[in-house]
Amino acid sequence: MYSVLRCAPAARLSSGRLSSSKFHLASVCQESALKYSSTDIPVMPPCSFQPAEYQGMSKERLMEIRRRNCNPVTMKVTYYQRPVFIHQGFMQWLWDVDGRRYLDLFAGVATVSVGHCHPKVTAAAEQQLKTLWHTTNIYVHPGLQEYCEKLASHLPDPLKVIYLTNSGSEANDLAMLMARLHTGNYDIITFRGSYHGGSPQAIGLTSNVAYKYPIANGLGCTNTMCPDVFRGPWGGSHCRDSPVQTIRECTCTPGRCEANDHYIAQLKETFQTSVPSRIAAFFTEPIQGVGGAVQYPKNYLKEAYKLVRERGGVCIADEVQTGFGRTGSHFWGFQGHDVLPDVVTMAKGIGNGFPMGAVVTTPEIAASLSKGVHFTTFGGNPVACAIASSVLDAIREDDTQRTSQEVGTYLMTELAKLRDKYDIIGDVRGKGLQIGVEMVKDKASREPLPPEGVAEIFEDVKDMGVLMGKGGLYGQTFRIKPPMCITMEDADFFLAVFNRSVHNYLERR
């Protein structure tokens, strides 16, 4: 029925991951995904897992309830013109209520770290649910202490003191509070285009009009220019720590990044014009997530941290999307910048989708919270700790950090070939499985591809069986952040789908 170019079969482990000997599956492919013609229909890799048959409400009834009983903002954020009705998941796969299978390249917004319903994590949750569902940290239940020790072992000294929360927004709220208490200062600086949560305090850190309401919130937060070497005023072809660089020409002398110098000058101007002489904190993601996998010049954070500390501030790394090995080269995104923050916040992948977050800091900064009483009912509850502990085990046993590095690098390298092929693909960037593909009208202008164009490609990719995300200031960047169990075979399937979708869009112009 279909004309198909297929890769050689891959050996699989029981977890659904490729064995280490099969990581270079692309080398045995008969054809590169880049060479798919307009008549080829990509075929999804096989999966032996059989989902349960959906026997719930009709799609029409579900949407009726969503419109009537759910806050209307949920309709505003529903992906796709024809919504996907998800029923079940396993590892990198999702099934809708009609039994159709999708390759999940967004992982519930970079949240499902080791795989949907990962057997080890599921077993840990089931066992804990039979033992103790809930108690609070006013009691010493073993799971919290055991998990905090395990998590601390993954962080460098002196980042060893942990407070467990329910979400990334709560973790970032708490980090703001601790920074202000510890320094005695108030003002906090973040990047334009950043996203650090939607709570009343965290929304001040967030710098994107889509998330802003016309009310006072997050007082004392100031945004500085994001050192975006693709869309920003300065950038070159050697700026970022990524296997793929921008297409912008670079005129820098060896050993010097002029773009970095210009962006640091902008930060210095912010210090001179927009905040007091003493500040509380500098809050950044190692790679912007919602902002569209934006990366900074290689030495930017190192220089920025020095300037912040000279002004009495602490440096906070938001690892909600970059943590737990997703960037491939390191367990934490900040390590790729060769910096040591004073506070690290995390969530999402920490619990593989179970609601959980954490703030990790030094003993000195942690002590500032003892000036009052801070309490959370659900943070660090027994089920959350059991799940999070099993996630750390699965990351190690499944070698998901290596998967992120190898499959992610392959994906970006192949996507760069598509960038060179199509004028509307302006930039490919990222590290590991934190990838952004920025769509433009054309490379010369770098103007964002209009929303309707992005939506056409987005919908087409979904209709061929792949789910990915969107981000960026103008919603122009496709976000590829799959569960870290994705295989090379899956990567080739996506590349074929994306190639065809872009081709289809241009054919319709």
Side-chain angles (χ1 to χ4, degrees):
M1 181 177 178
Y2 298 136
S3 172
V4 184
L5 298 174
R6 296 298 305 274
C7 293
R12 292 179 180 272
L13 301 177
S14 58
S15 66
R17 295 176 60 245
L18 288 179
S19 66
S20 60
S21 64
K22 298 296 180 179
F23 264 108
H24 298 289
L25 178 64
S27 65
V28 297
C29 285
Q30 296 177 5
E31 296 285 347
S32 165
L34 186 59
K35 297 178 182 178
Y36 272 64
S37 74
S38 59
T39 60
D40 293 319
I41 304 295
V43 172
M44 189 175 288
C47 175
S48 59
F49 181 83
Q50 293 296 317
E53 182 181 355
Y54 176 71
Q55 297 180 333
M57 294 179 181
S58 69
K59 289 185 283 188
E60 292 75 18
R61 176 72 174 137
L62 291 170
M63 290 304 293
E64 178 188 343
I65 295 170
R66 193 174 179 93
R67 284 188 291 266
R68 187 184 67 234
N69 298 121
C70 299
N71 190 288
V73 76
T74 61
M75 295 298 296
K76 192 173 182 179
V77 300
T78 300
Y79 263 2
Y80 304 112
Q81 298 166 5
R82 298 179 298 280
V84 178
F85 295 77
I86 297 300
H87 163 51
Q88 192 165 352
F90 180 75
M91 302 309 284
Q92 67 269 47
W93 304 106
L94 290 170
W95 286 263
D96 68 13
V97 297
D98 297 318
R100 183 176 182 188
R101 179 162 57 106
Y102 296 87
L103 175 62
D104 182 9
L105 292 190
F106 201 32
V109 193
T111 299
V112 179
S113 48
V114 296
H116 292 282
C117 299
H118 188 290
K120 185 179 186 69
V121 180
T122 300
E126 290 175 344
Q127 181 59 41
Q128 187 60 51
L129 285 168
K130 295 174 183 176
T131 307
L132 179 68
W133 278 40
H134 176 71
T135 184
T136 74
N137 57 21
I138 62 175
Y139 306 113
V140 185
H141 66 87
L144 188 148
Q145 281 64 228
E146 291 168 1
Y147 176 68
C148 284
E149 182 180 51
K150 183 184 286 190
L151 179 60
S153 72
H154 287 79
L155 287 134
D157 288 329
L159 296 169
K160 296 297 179 183
V161 184
I162 297 166
Y163 194 103
L164 298 176
T165 66
N166 302 286
S167 70
S169 293
E170 184 186 347
N172 287 340
D173 274 359
L174 184 57
M176 294 171 72
L177 175 63
M178 294 169 75
R180 286 167 169 161
L181 287 171
H182 175 72
T183 64
N185 305 323
Y186 193 73
D187 288 73
I188 297 174
I189 296 175
T190 62
F191 286 146
R192 296 172 195 162
S194 62
Y195 180 83
H196 297 284
S199 62
Q201 283 298 310
I203 201 67
L205 302 173
T206 294
S207 177
N208 187 313
V209 68
Y211 301 96
K212 294 291 190 180
Y213 291 92
I215 57 173
N217 55 61
L219 300 178
C221 297
T222 297
N223 307 125
T224 193
M225 181 181 285
C226 177
D228 181 347
V229 298
F230 173 72
R231 179 154 297 285
W234 306 287
S237 56
H238 303 285
C239 294
R240 59 195 184 199
D241 178 21
S242 174
V244 179
Q245 297 293 329
T246 71
I247 57 175
R248 300 175 73 168
E249 292 185 5
C250 187
T251 59
C252 300
T253 57
R256 190 165 191 85
C257 179
E258 293 177 7
N260 185 64
D261 294 344
H262 286 301
Y263 288 118
I264 287 293
Q266 288 294 310
L267 178 61
K268 290 179 178 178
E269 186 170 315
T270 300
F271 287 135
Q272 290 299 114
T273 61
S274 305
V275 294
S277 60
R278 307 291 286 176
I279 65 171
F282 179 54
F283 219 118
T284 59
E285 300 167 271
I287 299 174
Q288 280 193 347
V290 174
V294 175
Q295 292 182 279
Y296 328 126
K298 294 171 187 173
N299 291 319
Y300 180 91
L301 285 187
K302 187 178 290 188
E303 294 184 41
Y305 274 27
K306 181 176 182 293
L307 293 171
V308 167
R309 286 168 173 152
E310 288 173 355
R311 288 157 178 79
V314 298
C315 299
I316 302 174
D318 180 338
E319 294 277 354
V320 170
Q321 294 195 34
T322 51
F324 298 91
R326 179 162 290 279
T327 63
S329 61
H330 299 87
F331 200 82
W332 305 107
F334 69 78
Q335 293 171 315
H337 294 272
D338 193 25
V339 295
L340 182 63
D342 304 293
V343 183
V344 180
T345 62
M346 58 196 73
K348 291 188 183 292
I350 193 173
N352 199 47
F354 191 87
M356 191 177 187
V359 181
V360 186
T361 189
T362 67
E364 294 75 19
I365 295 174
S368 63
L369 207 56
S370 298
K371 296 176 181 179
V373 175
H374 188 86
F375 177 74
T376 172
T377 299
F378 297 108
N381 75 74
V383 177
C385 288
I387 289 173
S389 181
S390 69
V391 168
L392 288 177
D393 292 342
I395 288 171
R396 183 189 71 253
E397 293 167 10
D398 295 355
D399 205 4
T400 58
Q401 186 175 328
R402 181 175 173 229
T403 301
S404 292
Q405 176 75 1
E406 299 199 10
V407 179
T409 298
Y410 172 71
L411 262 173
M412 278 181 276
T413 302
E414 294 300 305
L415 283 166
K417 295 176 184 177
L418 293 177
R419 176 202 62 190
D420 296 341
K421 179 180 179 180
Y422 297 114
D423 198 37
I424 64 168
I425 301 179
D427 196 32
V428 174
R429 54 181 176 259
K431 284 187 68 177
L433 291 174
Q434 177 93 338
I435 301 171
V437 181
E438 183 159 348
M439 308 302 291
V440 294
K441 288 183 178 179
D442 57 78
K443 289 185 174 72
S445 70
R446 283 181 283 141
E447 290 184 29
L449 189 68
E452 57 272 17
V454 173
E456 279 189 45
I457 298 170
F458 197 57
E459 199 87 18
D460 204 17
V461 168
K462 178 262 292 181
D463 289 342
M464 283 191 273
V466 178
L467 306 178
M468 56 184 183
K470 290 188 294 185
L473 285 177
Y474 311 100
Q476 81 283 21
T477 302
F478 294 126
R479 298 164 64 196
I480 301 164
K481 304 173 183 185
M484 296 184 291
C485 54
I486 188 176
T487 69
M488 287 289 192
E489 193 175 10
D490 301 330
D492 279 322
F493 170 63
F494 163 68
L495 290 163
V497 165
F498 189 63
N499 177 64
R500 180 176 172 86
S501 298
V502 174
H503 176 91
N504 288 348
Y505 170 76
L506 294 173
E507 285 264 291
R508 293 190 292 265
R509 296 303 94 199

PDB file of all heavy atoms in Angstrom, residues 347-364:
ATOM      1  N   ALA A 347      12.008  19.824  39.060  1.00  0.00           N
ATOM      2  CA  ALA A 347      10.671  19.224  39.105  1.00  0.00           C
ATOM      3  C   ALA A 347      10.550  18.337  37.865  1.00  0.00           C
ATOM      4  O   ALA A 347      11.537  17.741  37.433  1.00  0.00           O
ATOM      5  CB  ALA A 347       9.586  20.301  39.149  1.00  0.00           C
ATOM      6  N   LYS A 348       9.365  18.229  37.290  1.00  0.00           N
ATOM      7  CA  LYS A 348       9.104  17.476  36.062  1.00  0.00           C
ATOM      8  C   LYS A 348       9.750  16.091  36.083  1.00  0.00           C
ATOM      9  O   LYS A 348       9.244  15.165  36.670  1.00  0.00           O
ATOM     10  CB  LYS A 348       9.525  18.294  34.836  1.00  0.00           C
ATOM     11  CG  LYS A 348       8.633  19.510  34.577  1.00  0.00           C
ATOM     12  CD  LYS A 348       8.966  20.177  33.271  1.00  0.00           C
ATOM     13  CE  LYS A 348       8.136  21.435  33.028  1.00  0.00           C
ATOM     14  NZ  LYS A 348       6.710  21.179  32.801  1.00  0.00           N
ATOM     15  N   GLY A 349      10.922  15.937  35.456  1.00  0.00           N
ATOM     16  CA  GLY A 349      11.553  14.629  35.337  1.00  0.00           C
ATOM     17  C   GLY A 349      11.926  13.980  36.654  1.00  0.00           C
ATOM     18  O   GLY A 349      12.206  12.779  36.696  1.00  0.00           O
ATOM     19  N   ILE A 350      11.912  14.731  37.735  1.00  0.00           N
ATOM     20  CA  ILE A 350      12.277  14.187  39.047  1.00  0.00           C
ATOM     21  C   ILE A 350      11.369  13.015  39.423  1.00  0.00           C
ATOM     22  O   ILE A 350      11.796  12.063  40.077  1.00  0.00           O
ATOM     23  CB  ILE A 350      12.213  15.301  40.122  1.00  0.00           C
ATOM     24  CG1 ILE A 350      12.884  14.866  41.421  1.00  0.00           C
ATOM     25  CG2 ILE A 350      10.794  15.738  40.393  1.00  0.00           C
ATOM     26  CD1 ILE A 350      12.992  15.994  42.457  1.00  0.00           C
ATOM     27  N   GLY A 351      10.090  13.079  39.021  1.00  0.00           N
ATOM     28  CA  GLY A 351       9.134  12.035  39.375  1.00  0.00           C
ATOM     29  C   GLY A 351       8.533  11.341  38.176  1.00  0.00           C
ATOM     30  O   GLY A 351       7.529  10.640  38.312  1.00  0.00           O
ATOM     31  N   ASN A 352       9.117  11.552  36.982  1.00  0.00           N
ATOM     32  CA  ASN A 352       8.636  10.879  35.767  1.00  0.00           C
ATOM     33  C   ASN A 352       7.162  11.168  35.494  1.00  0.00           C
ATOM     34  O   ASN A 352       6.456  10.353  34.904  1.00  0.00           O
ATOM     35  CB  ASN A 352       8.862   9.371  35.872  1.00  0.00           C
ATOM     36  CG  ASN A 352       8.832   8.667  34.518  1.00  0.00           C
ATOM     37  OD1 ASN A 352       9.463   9.114  33.573  1.00  0.00           O
ATOM     38  ND2 ASN A 352       8.107   7.568  34.434  1.00  0.00           N
ATOM     39  N   GLY A 353       6.711  12.329  35.955  1.00  0.00           N
ATOM     40  CA  GLY A 353       5.318  12.707  35.753  1.00  0.00           C
ATOM     41  C   GLY A 353       4.513  12.752  37.034  1.00  0.00           C
ATOM     42  O   GLY A 353       3.415  13.323  37.061  1.00  0.00           O
ATOM     43  N   PHE A 354       5.015  12.176  38.107  1.00  0.00           N
ATOM     44  CA  PHE A 354       4.327  12.297  39.395  1.00  0.00           C
ATOM     45  C   PHE A 354       4.622  13.682  39.957  1.00  0.00           C
ATOM     46  O   PHE A 354       5.769  14.133  39.906  1.00  0.00           O
ATOM     47  CB  PHE A 354       4.793  11.219  40.371  1.00  0.00           C
ATOM     48  CG  PHE A 354       3.945  11.126  41.611  1.00  0.00           C
ATOM     49  CD1 PHE A 354       2.818  10.331  41.623  1.00  0.00           C
ATOM     50  CD2 PHE A 354       4.259  11.848  42.750  1.00  0.00           C
ATOM     51  CE1 PHE A 354       2.018  10.236  42.755  1.00  0.00           C
ATOM     52  CE2 PHE A 354       3.474  11.773  43.885  1.00  0.00           C
ATOM     53  CZ  PHE A 354       2.345  10.966  43.892  1.00  0.00           C
ATOM     54  N   PRO A 355       3.619  14.395  40.510  1.00  0.00           N
ATOM     55  CA  PRO A 355       3.838  15.768  40.967  1.00  0.00           C
ATOM     56  C   PRO A 355       4.881  15.847  42.079  1.00  0.00           C
ATOM     57  O   PRO A 355       4.676  15.328  43.185  1.00  0.00           O
ATOM     58  CB  PRO A 355       2.458  16.192  41.479  1.00  0.00           C
ATOM     59  CG  PRO A 355       1.502  15.289  40.785  1.00  0.00           C
ATOM     60  CD  PRO A 355       2.208  13.978  40.636  1.00  0.00           C
ATOM     61  N   MET A 356       5.991  16.505  41.776  1.00  0.00           N
ATOM     62  CA  MET A 356       7.071  16.629  42.751  1.00  0.00           C
ATOM     63  C   MET A 356       8.043  17.695  42.287  1.00  0.00           C
ATOM     64  O   MET A 356       8.176  17.966  41.091  1.00  0.00           O
ATOM     65  CB  MET A 356       7.810  15.299  42.923  1.00  0.00           C
ATOM     66  CG  MET A 356       8.774  15.276  44.099  1.00  0.00           C
ATOM     67  SD  MET A 356       9.531  13.648  44.299  1.00  0.00           S
ATOM     68  CE  MET A 356      10.419  13.891  45.848  1.00  0.00           C
ATOM     69  N   GLY A 357       8.709  18.329  43.228  1.00  0.00           N
ATOM     70  CA  GLY A 357       9.759  19.291  42.942  1.00  0.00           C
ATOM     71  C   GLY A 357      10.726  19.331  44.100  1.00  0.00           C
ATOM     72  O   GLY A 357      10.513  18.675  45.131  1.00  0.00           O
ATOM     73  N   ALA A 358      11.796  20.099  43.941  1.00  0.00           N
ATOM     74  CA  ALA A 358      12.790  20.197  45.013  1.00  0.00           C
ATOM     75  C   ALA A 358      13.600  21.465  44.857  1.00  0.00           C
ATOM     76  O   ALA A 358      13.801  21.970  43.746  1.00  0.00           O
ATOM     77  CB  ALA A 358      13.713  18.978  45.012  1.00  0.00           C
ATOM     78  N   VAL A 359      14.072  21.965  45.979  1.00  0.00           N
ATOM     79  CA  VAL A 359      15.055  23.048  46.027  1.00  0.00           C
ATOM     80  C   VAL A 359      16.284  22.497  46.740  1.00  0.00           C
ATOM     81  O   VAL A 359      16.181  21.972  47.851  1.00  0.00           O
ATOM     82  CB  VAL A 359      14.519  24.277  46.795  1.00  0.00           C
ATOM     83  CG1 VAL A 359      15.567  25.388  46.800  1.00  0.00           C
ATOM     84  CG2 VAL A 359      13.218  24.776  46.193  1.00  0.00           C
ATOM     85  N   VAL A 360      17.429  22.605  46.093  1.00  0.00           N
ATOM     86  CA  VAL A 360      18.684  22.140  46.682  1.00  0.00           C
ATOM     87  C   VAL A 360      19.616  23.332  46.812  1.00  0.00           C
ATOM     88  O   VAL A 360      19.796  24.108  45.861  1.00  0.00           O
ATOM     89  CB  VAL A 360      19.349  21.052  45.813  1.00  0.00           C
ATOM     90  CG1 VAL A 360      20.571  20.483  46.521  1.00  0.00           C
ATOM     91  CG2 VAL A 360      18.356  19.945  45.492  1.00  0.00           C
ATOM     92  N   THR A 361      20.223  23.472  47.982  1.00  0.00           N
ATOM     93  CA  THR A 361      21.099  24.619  48.201  1.00  0.00           C
ATOM     94  C   THR A 361      22.173  24.287  49.217  1.00  0.00           C
ATOM     95  O   THR A 361      22.342  23.120  49.602  1.00  0.00           O
ATOM     96  CB  THR A 361      20.260  25.846  48.621  1.00  0.00           C
ATOM     97  OG1 THR A 361      21.085  27.009  48.635  1.00  0.00           O
ATOM     98  CG2 THR A 361      19.631  25.653  49.993  1.00  0.00           C
ATOM     99  N   THR A 362      22.898  25.307  49.620  1.00  0.00           N
ATOM    100  CA  THR A 362      23.984  25.132  50.593  1.00  0.00           C
ATOM    101  C   THR A 362      23.432  25.181  52.012  1.00  0.00           C
ATOM    102  O   THR A 362      22.338  25.708  52.241  1.00  0.00           O
ATOM    103  CB  THR A 362      25.017  26.248  50.427  1.00  0.00           C
ATOM    104  OG1 THR A 362      24.418  27.504  50.800  1.00  0.00           O
ATOM    105  CG2 THR A 362      25.498  26.345  48.977  1.00  0.00           C
ATOM    106  N   PRO A 363      24.173  24.670  52.988  1.00  0.00           N
ATOM    107  CA  PRO A 363      23.696  24.755  54.376  1.00  0.00           C
ATOM    108  C   PRO A 363      23.444  26.189  54.832  1.00  0.00           C
ATOM    109  O   PRO A 363      22.485  26.454  55.563  1.00  0.00           O
ATOM    110  CB  PRO A 363      24.837  24.105  55.171  1.00  0.00           C
ATOM    111  CG  PRO A 363      25.487  23.164  54.206  1.00  0.00           C
ATOM    112  CD  PRO A 363      25.407  23.845  52.875  1.00  0.00           C
ATOM    113  N   GLU A 364      24.291  27.128  54.389  1.00  0.00           N
ATOM    114  CA  GLU A 364      24.151  28.517  54.827  1.00  0.00           C
ATOM    115  C   GLU A 364      22.863  29.140  54.300  1.00  0.00           C
ATOM    116  O   GLU A 364      22.127  29.812  55.034  1.00  0.00           O
ATOM    117  CB  GLU A 364      25.355  29.344  54.369  1.00  0.00           C
ATOM    118  CG  GLU A 364      26.683  28.957  54.999  1.00  0.00           C
ATOM    119  CD  GLU A 364      27.275  27.665  54.442  1.00  0.00           C
ATOM    120  OE1 GLU A 364      26.861  27.245  53.328  1.00  0.00           O
ATOM    121  OE2 GLU A 364      28.140  27.071  55.118  1.00  0.00           O
TER     122      GLU A 364
END
